[in-house]
Amino acid sequence: MEPSGPSEVTGADAAGPDPQLAVTMGFTGFGKKARTFDLEAMFEQTRRTAVERSRKTLEAREKEEEMNREKELRKQIEDVEPTPSSSSAIREQSKSSSRDTSSSDSEDSSDSSDDELIGPPLPPKTVGEPVNTVDEDILGPLPAPLGEGDEDDDDDIEDEGEEENPVQRIPDSHEITLKHGTKTVSALGLDPSGARLVTGGYDYDVKFWDFAGMDASFKAFRSLQPCECHQIKSLQYSNTGDMILVVSGSSQAKVIDRDGFEVMECIKGDQYIVDMANTKGHTAMLHTGSWHPKIKGEFMTCSNDATVRLWEVENPKKQKSVFKPRTMQGKKVIPTTCTYSRDGNLVAAACQNGSIQIWDRNLTVHPKFHYKQAHDPGTDTSCVAFSYDGNVLASRGGDDTLKLWDVRQFNKPLFSASDLPTLFPMTDCCFSPDDKLIVTGTSVQRGCGNGKLVFFERRTFQRVYEIDITDASVVRCLWHPKLNQIMVGTGNGLAKVYYDPNKSQRGAKLCVVKTQRKAKQAETLTQDYIITPHALPMFREPRQRSTRKQLEKDRLDPLKSHKPEPPVAGPGRGGRVGTHGGTLSSYIVKNIALDKTDDSNPREAILRHAKAAEDNPYWVSPAYSKTQPKTMFAQVESDDEESKNEPEWKKRKI
C-alpha cells in the first residue's frame, strides 16, 4: 500500500489523537491541545468585580451612617427641646442639608422624610461623601472650611505665634535621668541621628546609652576608660556618626568607634623643643576638641602648650597644621576652647588673656579676627559656639557672662548677659535648632541652691526662661536639632534628658514606653566565678531532718561507712601486709628494705656498742693504736674537792 498523503494526516490530526498511540505512550491525555487564556479579559473582569464590590460596600456604609445620624438626632430631640426661634433656624439648616444630600444621593433623600427637618444639623460625612462645612454648628461663629489652603493658613498662624513666643518650642514638659556616676559629668555627645548618647566624667569613665535599646531602667550598655586615669573633658561624634573624639586631661587625644574600640591616638610632641610648630603633637594637657563639620576624618584640639592643632584620622603621627595664639605684644597665650564655624572655613579659639581669635582654616599665621578683651583676663572662657546661620558667635566666659558677637563686624559684642556663675572650665552654651534661643547652664556651690538652665532670646537677648535642673551645677548642655531634646550634664553625676511628647521625636521617647525587664540569671553573674560541680545546688545533698535516717543512709554508702585506714606505724603495720601484693618479695620490700620506722635516738644506738668495743677492741682501736694520743684527764676527786672549797656565791654564779 502507498503511504497516506499529507491531507490524510491532517484529517487524522483534526479528528483526534490516535488511540493506539495513546496506549503506547502510557497516558490518555496525549495529543490534546493546551488551554489558552486571555489575560486582558481576565484583568478587565477582575477590575469590574472590584469596582462593583467597592461600590456596594460604600453604599452599605453610607446607609449605616445615615441610620446612626437619625438615631443621634432623635436622642438630641428627646433630651433638649428647642425654642421656636431656634427650631425654625434648625429646620432651615436641616432643609439645606437634606437638599445637599439629595443632590449627592437621590435614593437616600427619597427615603429620608420630615424627621431630618427636626433637630440639629447633620455632621459632615466621612471619606467618600461630600462635606458640608457651612451647615455645621448653628450657634456661634462658623469655622473656616477645611481645605489645603486653609491648613497652610493655620500653619502660618501657628508659626507667627511661635515666632512671637519662641519659649513655646522649649521641650521641657518631660524628663528622664541617666545615672552616670557620683562625680561630675564633664562631657556629652550625641550622634547625628540622635540614636546614641555618650557621657564622660571626672571618674574617667565613658558610658554609652542607646535610646532604642534601653528600657525604663535607663542603664548604659557599655562603660570603659579610654584614657585610663585622666578626666574626660570633651566627647563629640563625627559628622558621619561612626567615630567619637575623646579629649582628656592628657596630651594625646583619642578617636574611638561606636563600640568603644580605639581607632587612633594622637602622638605626643617633644616637650624640649621651643617652637611648638616644629613638634609633631601636643606637649601639655588638652582642653577641648571638635570635628570638622564637612570634611570626614579631620578634627582640632587645643592644649596648654599654647597651640591649636588640626589632625587627620589617617595620619596620627603628625598634626596637619598648627595655630599659635598670641597676645598683642606677640607673646604666646593658652587657648581654653576652640571650635569650627558651621561651614568649616573658620577656626575660633578663646584664650586665657580674655581674647577671642578667629583664623582662616587655610591661613595659620595671623588671625582673621582678634578681639583682645572679650572677657576678663585670667578667666577661662569655657565655650565658643557658632549659630546655625554662621553669622553669630556666642562665648561663655569664666567671668560669669554670656556674650554674642557678629562675625561680620567683630569689633564689639552685640549683647552681653551677666550674673551667670560658672565653676567649671567646660560650661557649655548652644543655640536652639531654630536659631532663636541661646542656652547655657549655671553653677552653684554645694548646698547653696539649684543649678539652672537659662534661655536667652537671640534677637533681644532677654532672659526669657529658666529650668531648675538639680541641687548641683549644670556643666554641659546640648540641644539636638533632629530630636528637639535637651541633654544636660550635672555636677553630681547625672545626665538629664528633657523632651516633649508632641514636639520631640524619637530619642528619650523610645525608651520611656518600654517596661523594665526582669534580670535574667545569666545577667546576674557579672563576675567570673570558679564553680566546682559539687558546689552547685543541683549536686548539693539535702539536709536530713532526722539524724537516725541520715546514719542509716551513711551506713549503706560504701564510701561513708568504710573504716578509715590506720597510720603506717608500729609493729604489724596495721594488718596491711599484702596491700602491695601477696608475694614474698613485696613483703620483704615493704617490711625490711623500706623499713624506716626506727624512732630511737641515734646517739644511744651508737653508745650501746661502746662497752663491747672497749672490752674487745678488734675493729677500731687497733687501727688508731700508733697514732692515737694518750688520753690525759684531771682527777675527778681533786675537782670535787676544789668545788667544795669554793664560796657559795661562786657556786651560784656557775
Side-chain angles (χ1 to χ4, degrees), residues 88-156:
S88 61
I90 292 171
R91 191 176 293 110
E92 292 176 0
Q93 293 294 333
S94 60
K95 286 181 181 179
S96 62
S97 63
S98 63
R99 211 174 292 120
D100 294 335
T101 53
S102 63
S103 62
S104 62
D105 193 354
S106 60
E107 295 179 0
D108 294 342
S109 63
S110 63
D111 295 337
S112 60
S113 59
D114 294 342
D115 294 337
E116 292 184 353
L117 303 179
I118 302 173
L122 299 177
K125 295 184 179 181
T126 57
V127 179
E129 300 181 4
V131 180
N132 299 324
T133 56
V134 182
D135 300 333
E136 294 179 2
D137 295 339
I138 301 303
L139 303 177
L142 293 175
L146 296 176
E148 294 181 355
D150 300 327
E151 291 179 357
D152 296 336
D153 295 340
D154 294 340
D155 294 339
D156 295 339

Side-chain angles (χ1 to χ4, degrees), residues 29-30 53 72 146 178 183 235 237 249 252 262 289 291 297 394 401 409 417 488 494 497 506 542 567 599 636 644:
F30 181 78
R53 286 183 180 178
E72 290 178 359
L146 296 176
L178 309 177
K183 295 187 178 181
L235 293 170
Y237 274 89
Q252 298 171 272
E262 183 176 322
W291 287 99
T401 60
Q409 202 172 15
V488 180
L494 302 179
V497 182
R506 299 188 302 276
D599 296 334
V636 178
K644 290 179 181 178

Side-chain angles (χ1 to χ4, degrees), residues 200-251:
Y202 280 5
D203 54 358
Y204 321 136
D205 288 339
V206 173
K207 293 192 176 181
F208 293 78
W209 314 79
D210 189 358
F211 289 119
M214 279 194 304
D215 55 9
S217 61
F218 306 130
K219 292 182 180 179
F221 73 91
R222 182 167 291 119
S223 178
L224 52 98
Q225 293 184 356
C227 301
E228 297 176 350
C229 57
H230 293 285
Q231 295 176 350
I232 307 300
K233 295 194 170 184
S234 176
L235 293 170
Q236 187 179 3
Y237 274 89
S238 61
N239 51 3
T240 55
D242 57 344
M243 293 181 291
I244 305 172
L245 173 62
V246 182
V247 178
S248 64
S250 67
S251 60

Side-chain angles (χ1 to χ4, degrees), residues 496-604:
K496 294 200 170 187
V497 182
Y498 289 86
Y499 68 98
D500 191 301
N502 301 322
K503 302 171 187 175
S504 302
Q505 299 176 0
R506 299 188 302 276
K509 294 172 62 178
L510 299 178
C511 57
V512 171
V513 298
K514 295 183 180 179
T515 57
Q516 186 172 352
R517 294 177 298 178
K518 294 183 179 180
K520 297 181 180 179
Q521 188 175 4
E523 295 177 356
T524 57
L525 298 175
T526 57
Q527 298 180 359
D528 295 332
Y529 294 101
I530 299 175
I531 301 174
T532 58
H534 292 284
L536 295 174
M538 59 185 298
F539 294 105
R540 197 173 298 156
E541 295 182 358
R543 295 181 60 184
Q544 295 290 336
R545 296 182 180 180
S546 174
T547 309
R548 183 176 59 83
K549 292 182 179 180
Q550 181 65 31
L551 292 175
E552 291 177 357
K553 289 187 67 176
D554 293 346
R555 189 168 298 169
L556 297 175
D557 191 351
L559 293 177
K560 291 184 178 180
S561 62
H562 180 64
K563 181 182 177 181
E565 298 287 346
V568 185
R573 309 297 181 272
R576 291 177 291 163
V577 176
T579 55
H580 292 283
T583 61
L584 178 62
S585 61
S586 66
Y587 175 77
I588 293 173
V589 167
K590 184 177 180 184
N591 293 278
I592 298 174
L594 299 178
D595 189 6
K596 297 180 180 179
T597 60
D598 189 5
D599 296 334
S600 61
N601 193 349
R603 183 174 178 275
E604 294 178 355

Side-chain angles (χ1 to χ4, degrees), residues 458-469:
R458 173 184 165 182
R459 187 169 51 87
T460 61
F461 213 65
Q462 293 181 353
R463 197 166 181 163
V464 293
Y465 197 66
E466 291 181 357
I467 301 176
D468 281 347
I469 304 299

